[in-house]
Amino acid sequence: MTEKPKRAKRDPEGRRRAIVEAAAELIGREGTRKLTHRRVAQHAGVPLGSTTQYFSNIDELRRAGLEELGRLIEQDYDEMFRDIAKLGGTPAAFAQVINDYLSDQAQVEVDTAFYAAAVNDPQMRQLARASFELSVRRSLPYVDETRATALTVLLDGAMLDTCLRGEPIDPAVVTLAVESIFAAKLDPGDAR
Amino acid sequence: MTEKPKRAKRDPEGRRRAIVEAAAELIGREGTRKLTHRRVAQHAGVPLGSTTQYFSNIDELRRAGLEELGRLIEQDYDEMFRDIAKLGGTPAAFAQVINDYLSDQAQVEVDTAFYAAAVNDPQMRQLARASFELSVRRSLPYVDETRATALTVLLDGAMLDTCLRGEPIDPAVVTLAVESIFAAKLDPGDAR
Amino acid sequence: MTEKPKRAKRDPEGRRRAIVEAAAELIGREGTRKLTHRRVAQHAGVPLGSTTQYFSNIDELRRAGLEELGRLIEQDYDEMFRDIAKLGGTPAAFAQVINDYLSDQAQVEVDTAFYAAAVNDPQMRQLARASFELSVRRSLPYVDETRATALTVLLDGAMLDTCLRGEPIDPAVVTLAVESIFAAKLDPGDAR
Amino acid sequence: MTEKPKRAKRDPEGRRRAIVEAAAELIGREGTRKLTHRRVAQHAGVPLGSTTQYFSNIDELRRAGLEELGRLIEQDYDEMFRDIAKLGGTPAAFAQVINDYLSDQAQVEVDTAFYAAAVNDPQMRQLARASFELSVRRSLPYVDETRATALTVLLDGAMLDTCLRGEPIDPAVVTLAVESIFAAKLDPGDAR
DNA sequence: TATGAATGAGTCTTCATTCAT
DNA sequence: GATGAATGAAGACTCATTCAT
């Protein structure tokens, strides 16, 4: 009752969402170098003016797109760790979930694009760092912090290499690495 | 009191070198998004026209800069594996060399910029892939291929995360991961 | 004392018109070789950016200018054939109208510039061909197709030569040619 | 004996010729708009420097190319009128020779390119005018000046229209026009 | 408020021209 | 002389941004 939209188009939130999602998708597909108002507007199906109305300049628009990408990655993590929990949180569970993730090349490329964009953008590094820490935190129920960090590093490396090579890292490699990290004694000074 | 000459000496090789190095340095420092003829020319100390004389378009210039970066990374690898050999090729040697590498934030950022640029450039992915394979090959004298790949993935992940976090991955993490990968049984199916 | 406004009124139609007309006039005066965005913008009294907003590249701008010129030529034809009709459509009428046309050196030069531009532009040849056919068609009420074509060829030659010589072809020449074409027996095999 | 070329390449005359011919050919094929030192040099198979050595600027180079084209056209005329003479200088001879000429589309296009380039170049108009007068003069042995001029106008129109249409003017049209011009009484006031 | 026309800053690119080698 | 590297002037084109409608 409080809403009385004069026209169907009166949906600022929806507009903004559409723009942000279009920006995120474009960044995921071709990086930030070719991101322009015009391309975002066209891809989002909104008039050019909207992209400048909702974002005071192109940097903000890019940032919004990257943040959206960051959010999607977080959802990825949520899902991955939900699956890990379902599978019992075992080393094998970690390995399988990671390998499943790596087999989705499109997803891997989008995620990597996010990190790639962050490399040369100080503000974005913040987000990437948060993402890193989230991954570590989510692993803590299953392993100590050192191992959790190692697993995160491994995941990030596998993601990057899978993206660049255009095909998943050999699952055996991931499985070996994950399981050996789990199996390692904490104090590396001790022999086995 | 030598006045600077109106026109530079004729030196095609040197000119090209200077331009490529300037491009590589700029990419390493701020990525490819802000790479323009003007900035490269200014940074290389050559007139604008020279950048277009030696490279028929900006894409070629970018590519040349990235290839130069790729060469620098290869040199990094050479050095790292020379050090590993000197240290006996032990797991501890790998761990130490990687940790030393990660402690050079500037170097890590340059290398990561190369991979980041490759994410959205199909032709550059070729180079990145070659770099990946080189790393695996260099490890083969010390471990089997599965472990060599795992170590490469780990190194790449550590590089990316070190770059994004702005500080080296905890050396203990690297050490644990490296040593456990070395220690792992080969057939993961047997474990547990 | 009205200060000239910082920004022009919004008037897409008028803008486009002004630009096209400026382009047409410049082409008519100096051909297509020296047609640049800058010159058109200056001549049209619009900022440089407008010329690229309305035409996605210089070829389109040139084409638009040439098409405009083509339209002007069509109007010329309309007028000429209206005059011919008024004068009874006799050979003398044709001769007089053509001679009148040739006496307007400026007009002849503009028209010739259009054909000259078409010589090396396949797409423009289409237009020139249409113009040729229009002339033939307009003559058909008065003569058969062979003679109509001959008259068109004669007109085009007279236009070209008048343009290049800087003075009209001797009216007696045009008169003789026109009247003899009218007078000729249709089947040239019979003659002599 | 007086010549002792140090090297095979010491042939300034030949160089100049090659450049001029390349320029002429390029102009004949694509007009003067796209004529550049680089293109001429490449097409002539000479180094870039030669084109600036022999011609102090691009305008001179273009002019030299156009003059060469003019010379070629003169040769065309020579040949045509030699053929006309061989055929007896009759109206039918004129018609046949012109129709033969028009059937060589490539030649027609080159010639027309010359006239087209002259339209917007005052100096070139001189040449075109000379060419016009040459044609008239060559016809004088067979007809009076008025008819000679009419035939020239007809020829030029047929050339232009053939070029623009991409196919020869119907031979019947040319034949009719030529023969009727020959047949006409000089004083158009008289009835037939 | 929503839109896209208007504008200019800045980038890419091409070339004529100069001139050291 | 012959050559092509060096250079800057200028043209094509793209876009972020502003702001009238």
Side-chain angles (χ1 to χ4, degrees):
Chain A
M1 274 302 146
T2 49
E3 306 174 312
K4 41 178 176 182
K6 285 262 160 63
R7 296 176 197 175
K9 278 292 167 54
R10 270 299 194 74
D11 178 13
E13 286 308 303
R15 266 293 163 88
R16 199 176 208 285
R17 270 229 65 72
I19 294 169
V20 168
E21 281 170 8
E25 194 173 323
L26 285 173
I27 294 171
R29 198 190 305 156
E30 17 175 74
T32 56
R33 186 151 49 84
K34 291 178 280 186
L35 195 78
T36 67
H37 285 121
R38 281 163 175 73
R39 286 170 68 80
V40 172
Q42 183 173 18
H43 198 257
V46 303
L48 171 61
S50 294
T51 60
T52 57
Q53 177 104 43
Y54 290 96
F55 303 91
S56 60
N57 59 42
I58 190 71
D59 293 311
E60 261 195 39
L61 178 52
R62 183 174 49 246
R63 172 142 308 121
L66 284 167
E67 283 167 0
E68 171 69 8
L69 233 39
R71 242 168 279 131
L72 294 177
I73 290 179
E74 252 181 62
Q75 288 176 15
D76 265 17
Y77 277 131
D78 283 346
E79 201 180 328
M80 286 173 71
F81 280 98
R82 212 178 308 126
D83 290 347
I84 286 172
K86 265 191 234 162
L87 293 171
T90 62
F94 270 81
Q96 184 186 323
V97 167
I98 292 175
N99 280 323
D100 282 354
Y101 166 70
L102 296 178
S103 69
D104 182 353
Q105 183 73 20
Q107 185 61 55
V108 167
E109 301 209 347
V110 168
D111 294 354
T112 311
F114 169 75
Y115 290 107
V119 166
N120 291 292
D121 183 332
Q123 270 186 272
M124 278 305 112
R125 286 192 182 180
Q126 287 278 82
L127 281 189
R129 176 167 202 150
S131 176
F132 178 85
E133 278 159 9
L134 178 66
S135 170
V136 173
R137 203 160 52 246
R138 286 271 165 81
S139 301
L140 285 180
Y142 310 105
V143 288
D144 62 71
E145 184 165 355
T146 300
R147 286 183 178 80
T149 306
L151 288 170
T152 299
V153 167
L154 186 78
L155 173 57
D156 289 346
M159 173 196 71
L160 177 60
D161 288 333
T162 294
C163 171
L164 292 174
R165 293 169 18 113
E167 61 179 14
I169 295 294
D170 180 355
V173 168
V174 173
T175 303
L176 174 138
V178 168
E179 301 205 332
S180 63
I181 286 170
F182 266 87
K185 291 190 185 162
L186 185 56
D187 181 8
D190 282 15
R192 161 98 133 160
Chain B
M1 288 312 124
T2 55
E3 310 179 49
K4 77 162 182 261
K6 275 281 158 50
R7 178 180 284 224
K9 282 275 171 60
R10 174 182 290 206
D11 176 17
E13 297 298 309
R15 260 321 162 77
R16 201 173 211 286
R17 273 269 79 203
I19 294 169
V20 169
E21 282 171 7
E25 195 174 322
L26 284 173
I27 294 172
R29 199 190 303 156
E30 15 176 76
T32 57
R33 183 155 53 87
K34 290 177 283 186
L35 195 79
T36 68
H37 284 119
R38 279 166 173 66
R39 288 172 68 79
V40 173
Q42 183 171 22
H43 198 255
V46 304
L48 176 59
S50 292
T51 61
T52 58
Q53 163 146 81
Y54 287 94
F55 302 92
S56 57
N57 57 47
I58 190 71
D59 292 316
E60 260 196 38
L61 177 52
R62 187 181 334 111
R63 171 146 5 283
L66 283 167
E67 282 168 359
E68 172 69 9
L69 233 38
R71 271 188 295 277
L72 295 178
I73 290 178
E74 247 182 67
Q75 288 177 16
D76 266 18
Y77 277 131
D78 284 345
E79 204 180 325
M80 286 173 71
F81 279 97
R82 212 176 309 124
D83 291 347
I84 286 171
K86 263 191 235 160
L87 292 172
T90 62
F94 271 81
Q96 183 185 323
V97 167
I98 291 176
N99 281 323
D100 282 354
Y101 166 69
L102 296 178
S103 70
D104 182 352
Q105 182 73 21
Q107 185 60 56
V108 167
E109 300 210 347
V110 168
D111 294 355
T112 311
F114 170 75
Y115 290 106
V119 166
N120 290 294
D121 183 333
Q123 269 187 274
M124 277 305 115
R125 285 191 182 182
Q126 287 274 79
L127 282 190
R129 176 168 201 148
S131 178
F132 177 87
E133 278 158 9
L134 179 66
S135 171
V136 172
R137 202 160 52 248
R138 286 272 165 81
S139 301
L140 284 181
Y142 310 106
V143 289
D144 62 74
E145 186 165 353
T146 302
R147 284 182 180 80
T149 306
L151 288 170
T152 298
V153 167
L154 186 79
L155 173 57
D156 288 345
M159 174 195 72
L160 176 60
D161 288 333
T162 293
C163 172
L164 292 174
R165 293 168 19 110
E167 61 179 15
I169 295 293
D170 180 354
V173 168
V174 172
T175 303
L176 175 138
V178 168
E179 302 206 331
S180 63
I181 287 171
F182 267 87
K185 292 192 191 143
L186 184 56
D187 183 8
D190 285 9
R192 295 237 347 271
Chain C
M1 287 310 128
T2 55
E3 308 180 49
K4 77 163 181 262
K6 274 281 157 52
R7 178 181 283 225
K9 281 275 171 59
R10 176 184 287 207
D11 177 15
E13 297 298 308
R15 260 321 163 76
R16 201 173 211 285
R17 272 274 74 205
I19 294 169
V20 168
E21 282 170 7
E25 195 175 321
L26 284 173
I27 294 172
R29 197 190 304 157
E30 14 175 78
T32 57
R33 183 155 52 87
K34 289 177 282 186
L35 195 78
T36 67
H37 284 121
R38 279 167 172 68
R39 288 172 68 79
V40 173
Q42 182 171 22
H43 198 255
V46 304
L48 177 57
S50 292
T51 60
T52 57
Q53 164 147 82
Y54 287 94
F55 302 91
S56 59
N57 58 47
I58 190 71
D59 293 317
E60 260 196 39
L61 177 51
R62 188 183 330 111
R63 173 146 305 119
L66 284 167
E67 283 168 0
E68 172 69 9
L69 233 38
R71 271 188 295 278
L72 295 177
I73 290 179
E74 248 181 66
Q75 289 176 14
D76 266 18
Y77 277 131
D78 283 346
E79 204 180 327
M80 286 173 72
F81 280 96
R82 212 177 309 125
D83 291 347
I84 286 172
K86 265 191 234 159
L87 293 170
T90 62
F94 270 81
Q96 184 185 322
V97 166
I98 292 175
N99 280 323
D100 283 353
Y101 165 70
L102 295 178
S103 70
D104 182 352
Q105 183 73 20
Q107 184 61 56
V108 168
E109 300 210 347
V110 168
D111 293 355
T112 312
F114 170 75
Y115 290 106
V119 166
N120 290 293
D121 183 333
Q123 268 188 273
M124 278 304 113
R125 285 191 182 182
Q126 288 274 80
L127 281 190
R129 176 168 202 150
S131 177
F132 177 87
E133 279 159 9
L134 179 65
S135 171
V136 173
R137 202 160 54 246
R138 286 272 165 81
S139 301
L140 285 181
Y142 310 107
V143 289
D144 63 73
E145 185 164 353
T146 301
R147 284 183 181 80
T149 305
L151 288 170
T152 298
V153 167
L154 186 79
L155 172 57
D156 288 345
M159 174 196 73
L160 176 61
D161 288 332
T162 294
C163 171
L164 292 174
R165 293 170 16 113
E167 60 178 16
I169 296 294
D170 179 354
V173 168
V174 173
T175 303
L176 174 138
V178 169
E179 301 205 333
S180 64
I181 287 170
F182 267 87
K185 293 192 191 141
L186 183 56
D187 181 8
D190 285 7
R192 300 256 315 288
Chain D
M1 274 303 143
T2 48
E3 307 175 309
K4 40 178 174 179
K6 284 263 160 61
R7 298 176 196 174
K9 278 292 166 55
R10 268 299 194 72
D11 179 13
E13 287 307 303
R15 266 293 163 88
R16 198 176 209 286
R17 270 229 65 71
I19 293 169
V20 168
E21 282 170 7
E25 195 174 323
L26 285 174
I27 294 172
R29 199 190 305 156
E30 17 176 75
T32 57
R33 186 151 46 87
K34 291 179 280 187
L35 195 79
T36 67
H37 285 122
R38 282 163 174 72
R39 287 170 68 80
V40 173
Q42 183 174 18
H43 198 255
V46 303
L48 171 62
S50 294
T51 60
T52 57
Q53 177 104 43
Y54 289 96
F55 303 91
S56 60
N57 59 42
I58 189 70
D59 293 311
E60 262 196 38
L61 178 52
R62 182 175 49 245
R63 171 142 308 121
L66 284 167
E67 283 167 358
E68 172 69 10
L69 232 39
R71 243 168 278 131
L72 295 177
I73 290 180
E74 254 181 60
Q75 288 176 15
D76 264 18
Y77 278 131
D78 283 346
E79 201 180 328
M80 286 174 72
F81 280 98
R82 211 177 309 125
D83 290 347
I84 286 172
K86 265 191 232 159
L87 293 171
T90 62
F94 270 81
Q96 185 186 320
V97 167
I98 292 175
N99 281 323
D100 283 353
Y101 165 69
L102 296 178
S103 70
D104 182 352
Q105 183 73 22
Q107 185 61 55
V108 166
E109 301 210 346
V110 168
D111 294 354
T112 312
F114 169 75
Y115 289 107
V119 165
N120 292 291
D121 183 332
Q123 270 187 272
M124 278 305 113
R125 285 192 182 181
Q126 287 278 83
L127 282 188
R129 176 168 202 150
S131 176
F132 177 87
E133 279 159 8
L134 178 66
S135 170
V136 173
R137 203 160 54 247
R138 286 271 166 81
S139 300
L140 284 181
Y142 310 105
V143 288
D144 62 72
E145 185 165 353
T146 301
R147 285 183 178 80
T149 305
L151 288 170
T152 298
V153 167
L154 186 79
L155 173 57
D156 289 346
M159 174 196 71
L160 177 60
D161 288 332
T162 294
C163 171
L164 293 174
R165 293 169 18 111
E167 61 179 14
I169 295 294
D170 179 354
V173 168
V174 172
T175 304
L176 174 139
V178 168
E179 301 204 332
S180 63
I181 286 170
F182 267 87
K185 292 189 185 161
L186 185 55
D187 181 7
D190 283 17
R192 159 98 134 157

